[in-house]
Amino acid sequence: MRFRDRDVVLAGVRGETIEVPSANPLNYWQVISRREAMPRVTVDGKLFVPGDARPPAPVVVIVPGSLGIARVHLAHAETLTGLGLAAFVLDPFGARGVTSTVANQTQFSFAASAFDVAATVAALAARPEIDPRRIALQGHSRGGSAVLTAVTRRFAEAVHAPALAARAVLAAYPWCGHQFLDPHVGPTEVRAIVGDRDEWVSPQQVQGHVQAIRLRGGTASVRIVPGAAHSFDRAEPLTRFEDARISPGAPTAYLADDGAFIHPVTGEADPALVDRHLAVYALKAGYGVRGASLGPQGDQAALFREEMIAFFRRTLLS
């Protein structure tokens, strides 16, 4: 059953299904330089607005990773509504007929994932119960990549009004293999969190992305959690996924101002390059890895929850 068809109640708040006009771009270049060529798609999610929230309410958009919406994402939404924040749980998979991207991340582009998020910002900003000046994003894994790209101004301003900007972003163990040469995020505060034992993404690449944002004048920080693997916020124990196909050590594919991929080997921007080209390059270069673990150990899930609460209390409620 698609998420949109489920009746979800969190802390007494029934989720309202919201449709978001989005797109299926082949790559970032198409978003920025050839928008008219993008196939359109309508994604959706559920909005939870607590009854005691004073309208217009601040909202946190929760973006899942490669396994889609899980119990942990709904638990985070419930925690946030308990703080008096609205929460929107985005479903990037349902409308595309995808159930998981663990074994194949090229079923739809990372640019499409980021487009979903930026389009959601625009859709929520237009709603009377939501404060357009206090929209925040929380992305997990592939969703973490999506929220970082969605607030990069080169990308964001190609999707929604230039005056619109997310207040804050919490990127949880994001894959940072695609980065704009100009990583300017404007007024958005960026916080990344990743474990130093993460097998799915490169903590060093996350550090580099955050530092690039800082050097461009943005407010950005990163927390490295010792001993933590990927998805350490989940309730389930550390689990091995043998079908995972990843290449966390591959070189970064940078993006030119027009959105074109710059191939790591040639150093040249090419609008024809898509995610699959870079993935095949990484495999042929020997960076491909089969199988990886995710999940928490000890009190790591509680640590994440505390980090999330503190970040959004400070950025949205203070």
Side-chain angles (χ1 to χ4, degrees), residues 223-247:
R223 180 176 182 179
I224 306 292
V225 180
H230 199 68
S231 296
F232 59 87
D233 62 312
R234 299 171 74 92
E236 297 83 0
L238 192 68
T239 304
R240 185 80 178 171
F241 283 77
E242 296 299 343
D243 62 339
R245 300 292 184 270
I246 51 178
S247 52

Side-chain angles (χ1 to χ4, degrees), residues 269-309:
D270 184 352
L273 290 177
V274 297
D275 294 12
R276 182 171 176 78
H277 293 126
L278 279 302
V280 169
Y281 154 71
L283 291 174
K284 288 184 176 179
Y287 291 103
V289 177
R290 243 183 181 184
S293 299
L294 60 78
Q297 299 179 84
D299 61 354
Q300 291 169 353
L303 178 152
F304 182 92
R305 183 176 181 275
E306 291 166 4
E307 173 84 20
M308 176 185 74
I309 290 171

Side-chain angles (χ1 to χ4, degrees), residues 188-209:
T188 303
E189 178 174 344
V190 171
R191 175 74 164 168
I193 183 168
V194 64
D196 64 5
R197 299 296 299 274
D198 198 309
E199 298 174 318
W200 299 70
V201 306
S202 164
Q204 186 176 26
Q205 203 171 47
V206 176
Q207 288 177 301
H209 197 166

Side-chain angles (χ1 to χ4, degrees), residues 9-48:
V9 179
L10 303 178
V13 180
R14 175 165 277 102
E16 177 188 356
T17 297
I18 305 295
E19 294 188 336
V20 177
S22 189
N24 277 321
L26 293 175
N27 55 20
Y28 304 93
W29 178 81
Q30 201 171 63
V31 175
I32 294 174
S33 302
R34 288 293 183 274
R35 287 197 61 184
E36 68 280 0
M38 294 186 300
R40 298 291 169 169
V41 64
T42 299
V43 297
D44 49 72
K46 289 190 182 291
L47 177 64
F48 302 86

Side-chain angles (χ1 to χ4, degrees), residues 158-170:
V159 180
H160 57 58
L164 187 59
R167 170 73 67 86
V169 164
L170 181 58

Side-chain angles (χ1 to χ4, degrees), residues 1 7 24 27 58-59 63 67 73 107 119-120 127 133 140 148-150 185 203 237-238 246 248 262 264 300:
M1 180 185 293
D7 183 25
N24 277 321
N27 55 20
V59 65
V63 188
L67 289 168
H73 304 118
Q107 294 175 75
T120 297
R127 296 186 65 86
R133 299 165 301 174
H140 297 250
L148 288 175
T149 299
V185 296
L238 192 68
I246 51 178
I262 300 171
Q300 291 169 353

